[in-house]
Structures are given as C-alpha cells and as structure tokens.
C-alpha cells in the first residue's frame, strides 16, 4: 500500500501499456480496477532485495518516481511476471523484446568476471549476501545463506541474467571451494554427477562460505581467472608432475581439463584454497609425448620418464610427467581433440 505500507492480495491484469489491479471480494475480483500502473517509462527490478524477509518481490518505479512493490507466490511466478512486464514496457521496441527472450533461453556467463571478484562482493558488509543462523533437522548452523538467496543475489548484482545461469555460477563457486553445502539437503545434492544438479535453488538448502576463503590485501597477489574459462565441462582430472617455468623444479599438481571452453588448469594440492595456480587455453596448442631415452632439451632436474609436452599458441612450453605410459597416453588423447 502507498499510504499504509501493509500488504494486500490483489488480482493483476497485464495489458499492453498498463498493469491493472483489482480488489478481491469473496474470492472474486471486483468489476472495476482498484488502480493502474502505467508502464511507459517504468523501470523494473527483479529480484528486489529491499525487504530481507520477502525474497519474491518485483519493484516497479514509474516515470513519476512512484515505487510499487509486488510480491509473488513463487520464484517461477515472479520471474514469469517480470519477463512479461518487461516485454510490455519495451513493447514498442521489438528488438529489445527479442533480446529479453534470448536472455531467458540462452546461457552465457560474463566473460571478464573472476570468481574471486564475485566472492569479494558477496562478503561486502553493505551490499553482500546476508548471513543468518538457520536450523535444519534439529541442527543449528551459524552464518549461512540459502541456495535461493545466492541465486537472487547473483541476479540482482548482474552476475547472471537468469536463474539457470545463476545456479550454474553458484555451482562453480561451490566446485572451486568458495562456498560449501551445510545440512543434509544441500550435501545430498552434491552426490549428483551433473554439475547443474549439485547446487539447489531452494530456500531450504543451506550453504556457507568455505573456511579456506581469505580476503587478499592486494588483488595483485591473486591470479584472476575468468568465469568463462572455469565454466567448461570437466573432461578429465588427476595428479601429474609439472616442471616450473622459473626454477625448473618439479612439483605435483592436480590438473583439471575442461571443454567448451577448452582450458587446462592446475592446482597446488598442498594449499587449502582450492583455486588454480595456473592455466591456459588449449586452442592452437600442440601436445606430444617425449621419448624416455635421455633428457629432452628444456627439461632439467629429476625426470622419471613418461613425459609429454604442451606448446601453447603463444609458444609457452609446459613439461609434464605422468605416473606411467598408459596415463600419459590417456592425457594426450583427452587433450588433442580440444586443441
């Protein structure tokens, strides 16, 4: 309500240029509308997070700066209304309507946003995600947030344009150990092999920041990896030994091979933070096995054999040791189609 800020059930009818709302009497709408919202020049915010205990809001601001807060019954209903209202606002601009439907039905993560940047924003005291205590099956968890709250936050902060996209992004944050599931419901979901089913867009599924997350004093200390390069499907992962670029020493690294986009990232298994310490695009790379008789040029230190080499399109050479010949063959065969 505009005068008394209480909440009342209204029956809404969306027309091409306006949104009508009716009073309900005895479960039926009255013949004449109680009010109307002119959509010309309106701006819409969805999800609207201005009311912490009302996560299903749409906010409409008219060109005369009048605010309307509309609460829906479900997230699906809210998102459907928001899409149709936005379509009506841009009814005179068919290109924008077409773009709206493309955004709804497509999947495209922002290319230049790092996961670390997103988590920094989530931690922000004023605009970050709200941490609350929650109960599940008699267990009490401190400083948690729900799956649906994460999805709402990612959309409202323009990191994703649809719930499907936000769920995938949240799954990546979980996979890279920035957030973790707590409670039976969210932990059970992680047993699915399909990444899209591991994170739950649900108000009963609980999550919290992983203990390994540490804010960096300087962003220069942290390697930034784009969301897009970590969004690919994991094709293969395992432990290999890699030669360093500067000291030419050999260290065990956990390698993760992703497709679409094709990237090879490597992680330091001795560190609690589960984020890549390096990685590169496989497009235009050359991969080949190295002979075991003698030490090839460019290779130093303790070499046990089963070597293979990857040369990037920027002519950077990576020397990697597998534990056996069969493993070397498997990695080369997995990498080659992605180059």
């Amino acid at each position: 309500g505009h005068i008394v800020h209480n909440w009342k059930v209204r029956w809404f009818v969306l027309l091409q240029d306006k949104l009508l709302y009716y009073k309900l009497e005895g479960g039926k709408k009255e013949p004449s509308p109680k009010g109307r919202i002119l959509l010309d020049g309106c701006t819409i915010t969805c999800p609207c997070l201005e009311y912490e205990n009302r996560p299903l809001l749409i906010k409409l601001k008219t060109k005369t700066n009048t605010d309307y807060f509309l609460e829906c019954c479900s997230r699906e209903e809210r998102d459907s209304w928001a899409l149709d209202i936005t379509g009506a606002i841009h009814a005179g601009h068919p290109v924008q309507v077409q773009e709206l439907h493309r955004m709804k039905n497509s999947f495209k993560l922002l290319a230049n946003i790092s996961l670390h940047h997103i988590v920094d924003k989530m931690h922000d005291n004023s605009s970050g995600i709200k941490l609350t205590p929650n109960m599940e099956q008699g267990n009490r968890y401190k400083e948690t947030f729900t799956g649906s709250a994460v999805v709402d936050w990612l959309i409202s902060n323009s990191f994703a344009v649809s719930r499907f996209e936000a769920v995938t992004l949240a799954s990546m944050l979980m996979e890279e150990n920035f957030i973790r599931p707590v409670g039976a419901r969210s932990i059970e979901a992680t047993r699915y092999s399909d990444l899209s089913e591991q994170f739950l867009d649900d108000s009963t599924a609980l999550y919290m920041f992983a203990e390994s997350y540490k804010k960096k004093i300087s962003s220069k200390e942290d390697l930034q990896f784009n969301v897009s390069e970590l969004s690919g499907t994991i094709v293969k992962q395992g432990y290999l030994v890699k030669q360093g670029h500067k000291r030419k020493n050999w260290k065990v690294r956990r390698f993760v091979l992703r497709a679409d986009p094709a990237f090879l990232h490597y992680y330091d298994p001795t560190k609690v933070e589960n984020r890549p310490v390096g990685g590169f695009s496989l497009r235009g790379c050359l991969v080949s096995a190295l002979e075991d008789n003698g030490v090839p040029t460019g290779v130093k230190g303790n070499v046990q054999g089963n070597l293979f080499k990857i040369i990037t399109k920027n002519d950077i050479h990576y020397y990697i040791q597998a534990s056996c010949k069969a493993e070397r063959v498997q990695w080369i065969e997995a990498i080659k189609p992605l180059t």
Side-chain angles (χ1 to χ4, degrees), residues 118-161:
I118 292 172
V119 181
D120 274 342
K121 291 286 186 184
M122 289 176 77
H123 272 81
D124 190 274
N125 289 331
S126 57
S127 60
I129 195 161
K130 297 290 185 291
L131 301 177
T132 57
N134 280 286
M135 293 280 293
E136 188 196 47
Q137 296 182 356
N139 294 318
R140 186 177 178 83
Y141 301 98
K142 293 181 179 179
E143 296 191 326
T144 60
F145 37 81
T146 66
S148 54
V150 175
V151 171
D152 284 346
W153 186 89
L154 289 169
I155 295 172
S156 66
N157 285 271
S158 302
F159 290 118
V161 297

Side-chain angles (χ1 to χ4, degrees), residues 19-261:
L19 191 60
L20 305 179
Y21 54 94
Y22 296 78
K23 190 176 179 181
L24 292 173
E25 199 65 52
K28 295 181 180 179
K29 72 181 178 75
E30 292 187 339
S32 56
K34 176 82 175 170
R36 68 193 68 215
I37 304 170
L38 299 177
L39 297 177
D40 180 43
C42 258
T43 57
I44 183 170
T45 304
C46 178
C48 171
L49 305 181
E50 291 189 29
Y51 289 84
E52 190 175 328
N53 62 338
R54 294 183 181 272
L56 303 178
L57 289 185
I58 295 170
K59 178 182 177 181
L60 287 174
K61 182 184 280 291
T62 68
K63 65 179 180 181
T64 59
N65 287 325
T66 303
D67 289 341
Y68 290 88
F69 293 92
L70 316 177
E71 185 172 35
C72 300
C73 297
S74 68
R75 283 175 171 78
E76 293 75 19
E77 186 182 55
R78 179 195 64 187
D79 294 348
S80 177
W81 270 99
L83 186 78
D84 291 336
I85 292 170
T86 308
I89 291 171
H90 299 302
H93 309 280
V95 174
Q96 284 180 288
V97 176
Q98 201 173 27
E99 177 67 10
L100 279 169
H101 285 280
R102 185 199 66 76
M103 284 168 61
K104 182 186 179 187
N105 297 315
S106 69
F107 174 64
K108 186 182 179 184
L109 289 169
L110 297 173
N112 297 314
I113 300 293
S114 75
L115 294 178
H116 199 278
H117 171 71
I118 292 172
V119 181
D120 274 342
K121 291 286 186 184
M122 289 176 77
H123 272 81
D124 190 274
N125 289 331
S126 57
S127 60
I129 195 161
K130 297 290 185 291
L131 301 177
T132 57
N134 280 286
M135 293 280 293
E136 188 196 47
Q137 296 182 356
N139 294 318
R140 186 177 178 83
Y141 301 98
K142 293 181 179 179
E143 296 191 326
T144 60
F145 37 81
T146 66
S148 54
V150 175
V151 171
D152 284 346
W153 186 89
L154 289 169
I155 295 172
S156 66
N157 285 271
S158 302
F159 290 118
V161 297
S162 68
R163 301 197 77 77
F164 171 70
E165 194 168 305
V167 166
T168 305
L169 187 50
S171 298
M172 291 163 58
L173 289 169
M174 189 169 65
E175 185 188 10
E176 297 301 325
N177 203 34
F178 286 111
I179 62 176
R180 65 182 181 88
V182 288
R185 182 157 167 70
S186 56
I187 290 173
E188 177 68 25
T190 61
R191 295 176 183 173
Y192 289 107
S193 57
D194 186 354
L195 182 65
S196 65
E197 294 180 319
Q198 289 186 2
F199 185 90
L200 298 177
D201 179 9
D202 193 300
S203 59
T204 63
L206 301 179
Y207 299 88
M208 67 189 302
F209 289 117
E211 292 175 7
S212 62
Y213 176 84
K214 295 175 183 176
K215 279 202 166 188
K216 298 293 182 182
I217 298 170
S218 167
S219 60
K220 291 179 182 177
E221 297 173 5
D222 183 44
L223 281 171
Q224 298 290 322
F225 291 94
N226 292 339
V227 165
S228 59
E229 67 181 75
L230 291 169
S231 66
T233 304
I234 294 177
V235 175
K236 185 174 175 61
Q237 57 182 314
Y239 291 94
L240 298 165
V241 183
K242 173 187 165 294
Q243 180 177 264
H245 288 298
K246 294 178 181 177
R247 294 184 181 177
K248 306 295 182 185
N249 52 352
W250 292 88
K251 291 184 178 178
V252 174
R253 293 289 181 254
R254 181 172 67 87
F255 280 79
V256 177
L257 177 63
R258 292 180 172 91
D260 194 28

Side-chain angles (χ1 to χ4, degrees), residues 241 243 248-251 295 299-305 307 321:
V241 183
Q243 180 177 264
K248 306 295 182 185
N249 52 352
W250 292 88
K251 291 184 178 178
V295 179
V299 174
K300 294 183 179 179
N302 184 22
V303 180
Q304 304 296 324
L307 276 172
Q321 293 186 63

